[in-house]
Amino acid sequence: MISKQTLFLPVSLLLISANPIQAYQYGNPSAAEQAHLEAINYARANPVAEASRLGLSSVSEGSQPGAISTQARAPLTLNAQISSAAQQHSNDMAAKDYFSHYSQDGGLSPFQRMTNAGYSYNSAGENIAVVYSTGALSENTTSLQMHDLLFEDLDYPNRGHRVNILSSSYKEIGIGLGKGEAVLSYGRVYNAHYITTDFGRSSANSKPFVLGVVYNDRNRNNKYNIGEGISHVDIDIVETGGSTRSATAGGWAMPVSAGSYTIKFTLPDGRQFNKAFSISSKNIKIDARLSDFSAPADTGSTTGSGSSGGSSGTASGSSGTSNSSSGTPSTLTASQLKIINSDRLFDWAENKYPELFSPAQQPSITVPNWYYRYYPATNNYVGVNSAGDVYVLGDIFNGLLRIDTLAALLIRVDNE
């Protein structure tokens, strides 16, 4: 069961801030919220294809003449201030069991909430939707389901939600998912997921945005899917020195002046991906897939394959165990021993803590001064540096965290 509402407000007065733009606050959306943004931007990139995917007769079906164009629209970037307003409203509706653009307490409008969050705008709009079910709900499913239903908009006059999604009036968006329970007909209790999407064009920043998502395209469909985002990727504009870092779900954005630039993406392991781009007055989107990054530098050491079993390049041909068919530990070099022992530790960590390091049996990678594994499902790293120290990296660890030495941890491994 789905409900939807839409609201928009054009503001003609243009106010440009004389203050320099500070580091842009993208926010830290959940994977489901990032996926909702990606769905909106895919729709904006090709409105006709999105309408066709959803079985609409045309992209302008049901709308007022001229309200919706078949032309591609520039992508929207997430904005932390608008997202805060959206999140608070979704949480409020979920907690108090109501569905409205206006807050139950105080009757705040979307535009008052956005202003209260510190966002000043030239134009703004809001879509809201809710899904009810007597069964369990997954935000990974409902997030995309609500996008589809808002775009279809079959029960709403003039297709106002679709108009907002495809409007050229906006550059930024805030997305907030809320979860709660709702009492509907005959007192029956339903699980409920709410989404608020607040759209805006800032009056404090006239610059366009370069934005995107960094992800591991595991299903090879050339687009972001939930769980594929890569965090802690450093992103730099070479010519200006502007920089940011990808959020937990892989998203990022920076305002830039019109011109031609080179953008540089750097993974925590040092691998890089560079891309030249030009930008005028409209936002542009540059995504980076894990496969786009350069191969690790060859340091001359032998790399292991984790527990993938007998792949080329293992130090001993025995899939990373210390019992080698081609030699004993006493005949191996110190570098080979470190690789074998690191793989033992990585295998143990996968089995002991699958909630942190999954899926198991990821390939081990050698880069200068590091030997590590990356776990895309949990977006975490575990690695050993040239000094023999073991580190983990990921949001759950609040960035890069030293655990102990490899030698000390192997004593624990051997005792279990």
Side-chain angles (χ1 to χ4, degrees):
M1 185 184 304
I2 308 289
S3 294
K4 311 185 294 293
Q5 289 191 23
T6 185
L7 197 63
F8 69 94
L9 177 67
V11 180
S12 59
L13 180 62
L14 180 63
L15 300 174
I16 304 299
S17 172
N19 296 322
I21 301 298
Q22 303 301 315
Y24 185 69
Q25 297 300 309
Y26 181 86
N28 194 29
S30 68
E33 290 164 343
Q34 182 70 40
H36 192 90
L37 171 62
E38 296 301 310
I40 286 175
N41 280 334
Y42 291 135
R44 290 174 65 90
N46 196 334
V48 173
E50 184 74 344
S52 176
R53 181 183 73 84
L54 294 172
L56 301 179
S57 58
S58 71
V59 69
S60 59
E61 176 276 332
S63 64
Q64 291 287 337
I68 297 178
S69 171
T70 60
Q71 295 181 349
R73 297 302 188 192
L76 303 175
T77 178
L78 210 69
N79 176 283
Q81 292 173 317
I82 316 177
S83 288
S84 174
Q87 187 66 67
Q88 290 176 16
H89 188 55
S90 289
N91 290 346
D92 194 56
M93 290 190 291
K96 298 173 183 174
D97 187 10
Y98 74 96
F99 183 66
S100 171
H101 285 289
Y102 294 86
S103 304
Q104 194 174 65
D105 297 335
L108 292 178
S109 72
F111 317 111
Q112 289 171 308
R113 290 192 298 269
M114 293 169 71
T115 299
N116 290 346
Y119 186 77
S120 57
Y121 55 84
N122 298 323
S123 57
E126 179 174 273
N127 287 349
I128 57 175
V130 59
V131 175
Y132 303 108
S133 175
T134 55
L137 290 172
S138 165
E139 70 173 26
N140 291 347
T141 300
T142 58
S143 171
L144 296 176
Q145 180 185 12
M146 286 189 282
H147 163 75
D148 288 353
L149 290 162
L150 286 165
F151 191 93
E152 289 173 338
D153 216 10
L154 298 181
D155 60 352
Y156 197 85
N158 300 322
R159 309 302 188 247
H161 302 94
R162 198 188 312 154
V163 170
N164 264 347
I165 290 171
L166 298 177
S167 174
S168 60
S169 298
Y170 309 130
K171 284 187 175 180
E172 297 169 279
I173 188 172
I175 300 172
L177 282 163
K179 305 173 187 177
E181 293 182 340
V183 179
L184 301 180
S185 57
Y186 306 105
R188 191 170 188 178
V189 178
Y190 290 77
N191 294 312
H193 281 189
Y194 299 80
I195 194 164
T196 302
T197 53
D198 286 333
F199 303 85
R201 178 182 288 263
S202 173
S203 62
N205 171 36
S206 61
K207 292 184 178 181
F209 292 88
V210 56
L211 61 116
V213 63
V214 187
Y215 67 103
N216 181 10
D217 189 18
R218 292 196 299 272
N219 61 2
R220 299 183 181 180
N221 65 350
N222 293 317
K223 67 178 183 178
Y224 169 91
N225 294 105
I226 290 173
E228 292 184 341
I230 302 176
S231 65
H232 294 93
V233 178
D234 290 324
I235 303 158
D236 301 280
I237 306 296
V238 174
E239 292 80 2
T240 68
S243 65
T244 189
R245 178 171 286 180
S246 62
T248 300
W252 62 275
M254 282 187 283
V256 293
S257 299
S260 296
Y261 305 97
T262 302
I263 192 164
K264 179 176 71 175
F265 299 84
T266 307
L267 291 172
D269 64 24
R271 284 180 291 167
Q272 293 184 350
F273 167 53
N274 295 348
K275 187 175 180 65
F277 72 95
S278 296
I279 189 168
S280 55
S281 61
K282 296 180 180 180
N283 294 354
I284 64 169
K285 194 172 193 289
I286 301 176
D287 294 339
R289 298 171 299 179
L290 188 60
S291 60
D292 293 325
F293 288 82
S294 59
D298 184 3
T299 61
S301 62
T302 307
T303 59
S305 63
S307 56
S308 57
S311 66
S312 61
T314 57
S316 65
S318 64
S319 72
T321 64
S322 59
N323 296 318
S324 169
S325 61
S326 61
T328 64
S330 62
T331 65
L332 297 175
T333 67
S335 176
Q336 289 171 329
L337 276 173
K338 182 180 289 185
I339 287 170
I340 291 172
N341 287 329
S342 296
D343 282 329
R344 288 175 57 212
L345 176 66
F346 299 163
D347 292 344
W348 173 83
E350 294 168 1
N351 293 326
K352 187 75 172 179
Y353 304 105
E355 70 278 11
L356 299 178
F357 307 111
S358 67
Q361 300 185 355
Q362 295 299 303
S364 298
I365 298 172
T366 296
V367 295
N369 300 318
W370 285 97
Y371 185 70
Y372 74 95
R373 287 185 192 174
Y374 170 65
Y375 299 90
T378 52
N379 201 25
N380 289 327
Y381 295 78
V382 59
V384 181
N385 68 11
S386 56
D389 296 315
V390 178
Y391 284 81
V392 290
L393 174 66
D395 287 308
I396 195 170
F397 308 114
N398 293 319
L400 189 66
L401 177 67
R402 182 183 181 275
I403 301 300
D404 208 331
T405 65
L406 176 62
L409 288 172
L410 284 174
I411 294 174
R412 179 178 176 182
V413 172
D414 290 337
N415 288 335
E416 290 194 3

